[in-house]
Amino acid sequence: MAVTPEDVALTLGDSCPDPIPSERWLMWISDAEMLISAWAVRSGYTVADLDSAQVEYVVREAVALKVKRPDSATQVDVAVDDGRVSRRYESSTGQITILPEWWELLTPTTASPGGAFSISPYYAPDTSSW
């Protein structure tokens, strides 16, 4: 996992601040990677089980989302003399957020088919016991 602040800036495109606050973004990148690692362990995977390109995508997008909506404020007004600037944010938690569809993207597809409600096209005796 080698996401850099420059990768996040590229994801942001025109909405990227100039200059890039690298140290803060590096911390957010580290936070996103830590959240993904903790999720993988809780889900019974290792980080090595995850597709690295997908992990990098999720980290970039999560940090870009944090940059776009940095805190939980819904509206910020700044007035100086006759000038006024107002910025409205959509809902934000004020922390690194990984959306449900990104968690789904990260879930490895190495799980074997079948499960509690699978149907077998042929008869095989049950091997498990209650």
Side-chain angles (χ1 to χ4, degrees):
M1 293 181 262
V3 177
T4 65
E6 289 74 22
D7 295 332
V8 176
L10 189 59
T11 299
L12 287 167
D14 291 337
S15 60
C16 178
D18 190 33
I20 299 170
S22 297
E23 291 159 8
R24 186 176 344 154
W25 288 12
L26 282 171
M27 180 181 65
W28 292 344
I29 289 168
S30 174
D31 290 349
E33 291 171 346
M34 180 267 310
L35 289 172
I36 291 169
S37 177
W39 168 84
V41 170
R42 282 192 316 271
S43 300
Y45 308 114
T46 64
V47 176
D49 294 335
L50 306 178
D51 181 86
S52 63
Q54 292 173 341
V55 170
E56 289 177 6
Y57 168 79
V58 171
V59 168
R60 275 194 321 268
E61 292 297 321
V63 173
L65 184 63
K66 168 87 171 159
V67 171
K68 288 184 211 173
R69 299 185 248 162
D71 56 31
S72 58
T74 56
Q75 185 167 341
V76 177
D77 293 317
V78 178
V80 177
D81 295 333
D82 292 337
R84 182 178 189 93
V85 175
S86 180
R87 183 163 288 209
R88 180 175 292 267
Y89 297 104
E90 295 177 21
S91 62
S92 172
T93 61
Q95 52 190 296
I96 292 292
T97 302
I98 299 179
L99 301 177
E101 56 267 24
W102 296 341
W103 288 125
E104 187 176 325
L105 178 68
L106 290 174
T107 304
T109 57
T110 57
S112 61
F117 300 103
S118 64
I119 299 173
S120 177
Y122 54 89
Y123 172 75
D126 290 337
T127 57
S128 62
S129 62
W130 293 89

